[in-house]
Amino acid sequence: MNGLVYEHLHHNLKLLKLATFESILDNYLELAAKEGQATIEIIDYLIDQELQSKDARSQALRTRIAGFPVEKRLEDFKFDCQPSLDQAVIKEIASLRFIHNAENIVFLGPPGVGKTHLAIGLGIEAINAGFRVQFANASSMVEKLEKADQENRLEEKLRNLSRFHLLIIDEMGYLPFDDSGAHCFFQLISKRYEKTATIFTSNKSFGEWGDIFRDNVIASAILDRILHHCTTVNIKGDSYRLRERRRYGLVQPNSSESIQSKKQNAKVLSRSEEFSLP
Ligand SMILES: Nc1ncnc2c1ncn2[C@@H]1O[C@H](COP(=O)(O)OP(=O)(O)O)[C@@H](O)[C@H]1O
Ligand SMILES: [Mg+2]
């Protein structure tokens, strides 16, 4: 190969930031010459490798930005441990149509039933499909929104959050929001309404969301927007952690926690079934 052309090609590939193309070029040209590959096949292969590594880098970056507290995958979720959770509903959600349609998903249920696992699993699926995702704990997110509000940066913060196709708000209701927190949260929900998708997890039924915001009027306004285009998955099964501990004999089978869990079933509710405010 002409030395000047060789240098020129490598220089240009660097300028174009085609790092993978450049790094495999020499070896691949040698191999392709031995195999007598057509020029178009060589170009096609090199560009394809570049695209694949760009996709992988972008996926890794979006995963880092998403800020998942742990890695949980949908395929690791054992549906036989939550027998009345309708797998078909989760499969439909995992088609990610709800993101394309800017709809919401709410996972309701007691601790340990897999709400966060499912939310993160869906978040990872969304990232793999090319979406931008952000995971946030409800209380710390509201704290950040309040701080931004105090610094007159709430609009900017909400604009930043609206860049995510999917926002996951975990643990709604573990801690109540004060007035300014509820106000900021309302702004966030209004901004996302019918534009971008959100997944919520909560251990409180919609009827108890008034307690989270300490104000039924604002709770109602928030729920009205969330539930307008929403699939609610109400998991009332056994805590997975408790089940595991029981399996190893660490919990008495007749403890109050296990009696309670025996009474519980998982079911998927429509909006009208669960949407009632005190
Ligand atoms: N059906 C399940 N299959 C596999 N792991 C599960 C299942 N349900 C819960 N887990 C695991 O149990 C733990 C608690 O689940 P988590 O999603 O945090 O519950 P929740 O958010 O409802 O409190 C996590 O480690 C999660 O991966
Ligand atoms: Mg959780």
Side-chain angles (χ1 to χ4, degrees):
M1 196 190 295
N2 178 322
L4 268 182
V5 174
Y6 178 87
E7 292 298 328
H8 188 242
L9 176 58
H10 272 276
H11 176 75
N12 280 348
L13 288 171
K14 276 198 183 88
L15 277 185
L16 287 166
K17 297 192 170 46
L18 300 177
T20 304
F21 194 130
E22 204 226 339
S23 68
I24 62 175
L25 178 67
D26 297 356
N27 284 343
Y28 193 69
L29 283 181
E30 213 172 288
L31 186 81
K34 274 192 204 135
E35 289 180 357
Q37 281 191 32
T39 313
I40 192 159
E41 284 173 335
I42 299 172
I43 297 172
D44 181 51
Y45 177 84
L46 291 169
I47 290 182
D48 197 58
Q49 292 299 303
E50 182 63 44
L51 270 179
Q52 280 187 30
S53 68
K54 265 206 163 61
D55 279 353
R57 281 200 300 276
S58 152
Q59 204 161 303
L61 179 67
R62 278 178 289 114
T63 305
R64 238 184 2 261
I65 290 172
F68 298 120
V70 281
E71 190 182 315
K72 295 284 173 185
R73 302 205 165 255
L74 272 193
E75 60 263 32
D76 298 328
F77 192 85
K78 298 187 190 112
F79 284 89
D80 47 350
C81 298
Q82 272 326 331
S84 42
L85 175 60
D86 192 346
Q87 197 169 348
V89 173
I90 303 300
K91 210 168 158 202
E92 160 58 27
I93 297 172
S95 75
L96 306 179
R97 253 188 294 276
F98 77 100
I99 302 183
H100 290 283
N101 298 340
E103 295 175 355
N104 302 316
I105 308 292
V106 182
F107 290 110
L108 297 180
V113 292
K115 303 180 298 295
T116 303
H117 185 134
L118 289 169
I120 294 175
L122 288 164
I124 291 175
E125 293 293 316
I127 284 175
N128 294 346
F131 291 110
R132 285 191 297 274
V133 177
Q134 174 85 105
F135 180 99
N137 172 276
S139 304
S140 37
M141 191 189 60
V142 164
E143 233 170 70
K144 283 182 195 148
L145 291 178
E146 281 185 88
K147 185 162 180 286
D149 195 23
Q150 284 155 14
E151 294 164 359
N152 273 331
R153 291 187 299 104
L154 183 60
E155 248 321 296
E156 181 193 326
K157 180 89 187 152
L158 294 176
R159 238 192 343 268
N160 285 345
L161 281 173
S162 66
R163 285 182 16 249
F164 294 102
H165 303 109
L166 173 64
L167 178 61
I168 299 172
I169 306 181
D170 195 36
E171 300 194 336
M172 287 285 301
Y174 273 94
L175 293 172
F177 304 149
D178 61 16
D179 282 357
S180 79
H183 160 80
C184 292
F185 194 78
F186 175 74
Q187 300 285 321
L188 172 72
I189 298 305
S190 299
K191 188 113 187 156
R192 297 188 72 75
Y193 177 57
E194 294 192 327
K195 291 201 194 77
T196 39
T198 310
I199 295 179
F200 302 85
T201 79
S202 180
N203 62 339
K204 287 212 157 48
S205 70
F206 291 135
E208 296 169 308
W209 279 36
D211 302 341
I212 306 178
F213 302 102
R214 295 192 184 133
D215 177 340
N216 284 343
V217 176
I218 200 155
S220 177
I222 288 169
L223 273 175
D224 198 38
R225 282 160 183 76
I226 293 175
L227 296 177
H228 187 194
H229 310 287
C230 182
T231 302
T232 301
V233 181
N234 199 342
I235 313 171
K236 286 187 177 165
D238 225 352
S239 158
Y240 186 82
R241 285 182 285 243
L242 190 66
R243 192 191 166 98
E244 290 290 284
R245 269 183 278 147
R246 201 184 292 131
R247 223 153 62 100
Y248 296 105
L250 298 172
V251 176
Q252 293 302 311
N254 62 349
S255 72
S256 63
E257 211 175 350
S258 71
I259 290 167
Q260 177 66 22
S261 63
K262 272 186 196 144
K263 290 182 191 161
Q264 294 171 332
N265 294 308
K267 61 176 177 172
V268 177
L269 294 175
S270 69
R271 173 189 181 187
S272 55
E273 277 177 280
E274 187 67 12
F275 183 32
S276 63
L277 285 169

